[in-house]
Amino acid sequence: MMTRTSSVRSQVDPLSLALLPPPTETDSDRQARLRQEAEARRISEQIDEELKADRRKWERSKGDVKLLLLGQAESGKSTLQKQFQLMYSPSSIESERMSWRTVVYFNVVRSIKKILATLEVWDDIDDGTDSQSALERQELGNDEFSVLGPSKLGNRGLGPSASPTAPSPIATQPLEVVRTPTKASSIAELRLRLHCLVRTEPQLADRLSGGVSAAGSGNGEVFVRSGWQARTIQKGQDLVGKRQRRSLNPSSEPAKVGIAEQASERPPTSLSTLDTDPLIEEVASMLEQSQDDIRTLWEHSVVRALISKRKLKLDEWSEFFLNDIGRISARGYIPSTDDILHARIQTMGVSEHVFDVDVHGRTVTWHLYDVGGARGQRHTWVPYFDDANAIIFVSPISAFDQYLEEDPRTNRIDDSLQLFTQICSNQLLKRVHLVLFLNKTDILRKKLERGLRVSKYILSYGERPNEYEPVVNYFRAHFQQVHRRNNENRRVLYVHLTNVTDTSATQDIIANVRDSIFRGYLKSAALV
């Protein structure tokens, strides 16, 4: 038998020597070593394939359009994202429709809670004082209005806040309040009957957020992460499975008292039915039983008076849902598309939506990024600036009389202008296609029709007519001025007046925006 000699390479190469099996290796050791080497080769080949797939995906995605939706919280970004879904991926809206039921119920319960809390501050009566009362001074820290001056435009928006105004001697005198026992006792009874429903608000909030809070979340706001719709539905199904297992083996777990557990006393429901989540099922039952009380509270003369005198300030979606409480509290309620568009839940982080958009016979993949707009969430925007093709900046021009949740001294129009200045001046975005949506024009019209004066909150508006066209032109001119001062590359700013809850009008605007973005995309790709 010939003896095999070591090669010159094996004698010289330390790595080869290190990889040689030990001379004492047994057959079982050899088999184990060969299995380990085969597994290592398999993992290495799998990594190589994944890298190749990622490289191919990256090559294909170089032709995609990346669109960012930017703006402050509650500006309408997420509603605009839903309109994109309705236009380019309607099946995705259908698949998550039932998850919005939780949001609608949460919005209704939170609105009722806010009404009752405000009534409690006012002792359940309307004391006849004017709208700028002790409650507003308490909320705004005695800095009631933001004084906006054109001389301070630029990087500071429309201008600085005014110094606090000393209260008049009349306002400091104690008021003799004539109580109305009938009204107070009526509201007290409503508060008592609605107590159990209001107590479900933290549980609904926890179901939506998964118990996760966010920095910069404002005063008690609830934030959700991307994919919350599927997690909400899955959580409900998991609870149903747990409840059914418990009913089959009642001795396996001690009985607990709570809303979800009380619902287990009902006949078991199939996962294919609407009421799959014990918590949502119980809230739906409460709403059905309380709809008359909710309607009575909403239409109560004291509540109407507090709203008209702006002592009670509700969000726009509160009025939408409370005006239609009969339909929403009906058994078997399924959220309509309008309900989904009006439902309010704040986004935490960045949510990506992918659409295949057909433009003049050419199909292009669009990546739509909806980002959180609260101050504490804006740092998440920057990583998406590098390869963005276009930005839609959404500013709610109806918010001239509102202040940031995170900073009650900052007027929301002022904050929006400062934020727009930062976007326009950012060097990473100098060549990005820029579209401005001056949003919530419908709410602006209603506020002006009710006699709310812009000059009361924005002093630089002066004696201009308190009418829709002059107000819109005033705000549009300020945003355009910010853009001109930060536009070295002579980029065109496309401005649209929008109400993104209006599906027909918004989708026409989206089509125009799509065409303008696509033309810019073709130019940047040197295809025209």
Side-chain angles (χ1 to χ4, degrees):
M1 177 190 284
M2 296 181 60
T3 303
R4 184 175 180 182
T5 58
S6 301
S7 65
V8 175
R9 179 177 295 277
S10 67
Q11 294 176 6
V12 175
D13 185 3
L15 180 60
S16 298
L17 289 174
L19 293 176
L20 288 174
T24 59
E25 182 182 50
T26 64
D27 287 341
S28 60
D29 293 338
R30 179 173 177 276
Q31 293 298 325
R33 176 174 57 81
L34 293 176
R35 285 194 297 270
Q36 291 176 354
E37 291 176 354
E39 178 64 13
R41 281 194 300 271
R42 186 191 67 78
I43 293 174
S44 177
E45 291 169 357
Q46 180 180 350
I47 293 173
D48 289 341
E49 287 300 319
E50 289 174 355
L51 290 173
K52 290 178 182 177
D54 288 343
R55 191 176 297 112
R56 289 192 296 268
K57 182 178 178 181
W58 180 79
E59 289 291 338
R60 289 195 302 268
S61 69
K62 285 196 299 185
D64 294 354
V65 171
K66 297 177 178 62
L67 173 62
L68 304 183
L69 300 183
L70 303 182
Q72 63 184 202
E74 300 183 54
S75 60
K77 300 186 302 298
S78 295
T79 306
L80 180 58
Q81 170 259 305
K82 296 172 199 172
Q83 292 286 14
F84 270 90
Q85 276 186 274
L86 285 171
M87 194 166 182
Y88 296 114
S89 182
S91 60
S92 64
I93 285 284
E94 289 303 321
S95 66
E96 64 189 35
R97 184 175 294 276
M98 291 310 299
S99 65
W100 286 99
R101 190 165 172 242
T102 307
V103 182
V104 172
Y105 287 168
F106 172 71
N107 288 169
V108 170
V109 173
R110 171 159 282 200
S111 299
I112 296 169
K113 182 179 181 179
K114 184 171 184 178
I115 292 172
L116 292 174
T118 304
L119 286 168
E120 189 171 6
V121 170
W122 291 100
D123 293 328
D124 294 348
I125 61 173
D126 171 32
D127 60 13
T129 58
D130 64 12
S131 60
Q132 301 307 326
S133 54
L135 180 61
E136 285 192 352
R137 290 196 298 272
Q138 177 183 343
E139 289 176 350
L140 302 180
N142 291 325
D143 186 11
E144 194 170 340
F145 308 120
S146 175
V147 181
L148 309 177
S151 63
K152 296 295 183 180
L153 189 64
N155 291 340
R156 293 187 54 79
L158 288 179
S161 298
S163 59
T165 303
S168 66
I170 297 176
T172 59
Q173 297 300 318
L175 294 171
E176 292 186 6
V177 177
V178 179
R179 297 183 179 274
T180 310
T182 303
K183 290 182 179 180
S185 60
S186 173
I187 291 175
E189 292 169 3
L190 290 172
R191 178 181 285 107
L192 184 62
R193 290 200 290 267
L194 293 172
H195 176 69
C196 290
L197 178 63
V198 170
R199 286 188 61 188
T200 65
E201 190 243 11
Q203 294 166 278
L204 290 169
D206 186 71
R207 177 61 47 82
L208 291 168
S209 67
V212 178
S213 59
S217 59
N219 298 328
E221 281 296 337
V222 175
F223 280 69
V224 295
R225 294 181 182 274
S226 176
W228 66 268
Q229 296 95 332
R231 288 193 295 271
T232 300
I233 293 175
Q234 184 61 47
K235 180 79 174 287
Q237 292 179 348
D238 291 344
L239 288 173
V240 168
K242 183 178 180 180
R243 184 183 66 179
Q244 291 176 340
R245 289 192 298 271
R246 190 183 305 163
S247 65
L248 292 174
N249 187 11
S251 61
S252 63
E253 188 174 341
K256 297 180 182 178
V257 178
I259 291 175
E261 284 71 22
Q262 291 170 2
S264 65
E265 298 174 4
R266 298 185 171 203
T269 55
S270 167
L271 291 179
S272 62
T273 64
L274 294 176
D275 296 330
T276 57
D277 185 331
L279 171 62
I280 306 307
E281 180 183 357
E282 188 68 11
V283 173
S285 177
M286 288 182 178
L287 282 171
E288 184 183 24
Q289 296 169 14
S290 305
Q291 60 176 300
D292 290 337
D293 290 334
I294 296 171
R295 189 180 294 107
T296 300
L297 176 68
W298 177 235
E299 296 173 355
H300 201 286
S301 58
V302 174
V303 174
R304 296 287 100 193
L306 291 176
I307 291 175
S308 66
K309 296 176 182 178
R310 296 182 58 74
K311 298 171 185 176
L312 172 58
K313 297 180 181 179
L314 296 173
D315 297 291
E316 52 265 20
W317 43 262
S318 297
E319 182 177 354
F320 177 84
F321 290 126
L322 292 177
N323 281 339
D324 211 1
I325 191 63
R327 176 180 62 84
I328 290 168
S329 60
R331 182 169 293 278
Y333 162 71
I334 299 176
S336 67
T337 299
D338 263 358
D339 293 342
I340 294 174
L341 291 174
H342 283 86
R344 174 67 186 144
I345 190 74
Q346 288 210 49
T347 308
M348 180 168 64
V350 180
S351 176
E352 179 182 5
H353 302 267
V354 182
F355 310 108
D356 287 329
V357 179
D358 181 67
V359 187
H360 307 303
R362 180 189 179 97
T363 300
V364 179
T365 300
W366 284 39
H367 300 260
L368 182 68
Y369 298 97
D370 176 19
V371 301
R375 279 188 172 180
Q377 303 297 310
R378 294 174 187 175
H379 65 279
T380 61
W381 300 5
V382 179
Y384 295 85
F385 287 176
D386 281 339
D387 55 353
N389 300 106
I391 288 174
I392 296 180
F393 186 90
V394 186
S395 176
I397 56 173
S398 65
F400 64 85
D401 62 327
Q402 296 174 271
Y403 299 81
L404 294 181
E405 286 285 347
E406 309 94 313
D407 181 7
R409 293 178 179 270
T410 301
N411 184 281
R412 287 190 60 193
I413 293 285
D414 195 41
D415 176 71
S416 192
L417 273 164
Q418 293 181 36
L419 187 54
F420 188 63
T421 301
Q422 295 171 18
I423 297 301
C424 291
S425 61
N426 192 295
Q427 294 299 317
L428 295 175
L429 303 173
K430 285 297 184 182
R431 298 187 181 277
V432 171
H433 189 92
L434 188 57
V435 181
L436 173 64
F437 276 23
L438 298 179
N439 193 34
K440 302 193 178 183
T441 55
D442 57 323
I443 301 171
L444 175 64
R445 285 185 187 273
K446 291 178 181 177
K447 287 184 177 182
L448 296 177
E449 288 170 0
R450 290 202 305 264
L452 198 61
R453 300 199 63 80
V454 175
S455 59
K456 189 174 184 179
Y457 299 88
I458 300 179
L459 299 188
S460 62
Y461 190 74
E463 298 300 320
R464 295 174 177 85
N466 200 63
E467 299 170 359
Y468 177 77
E469 290 296 335
V471 170
V472 164
N473 291 336
Y474 175 80
F475 289 136
R476 177 165 46 197
H478 277 292
F479 278 95
Q480 289 173 332
Q481 185 176 359
V482 167
H483 180 256
R484 283 194 300 271
R485 292 184 175 184
N486 298 276
N487 191 25
E488 297 89 350
N489 295 329
R490 297 186 177 181
R491 170 180 53 189
V492 177
L493 174 65
Y494 299 85
V495 183
H496 297 273
L497 301 176
T498 61
N499 163 22
V500 293
T501 59
D502 183 337
T503 298
S504 177
T506 301
Q507 293 196 355
D508 286 342
I509 294 172
I510 288 175
N512 292 332
V513 170
R514 174 201 64 197
D515 291 344
S516 65
I517 290 175
F518 190 67
R519 285 194 297 270
Y521 159 79
L522 292 178
K523 289 179 181 178
S524 66
L527 296 177
V528 297

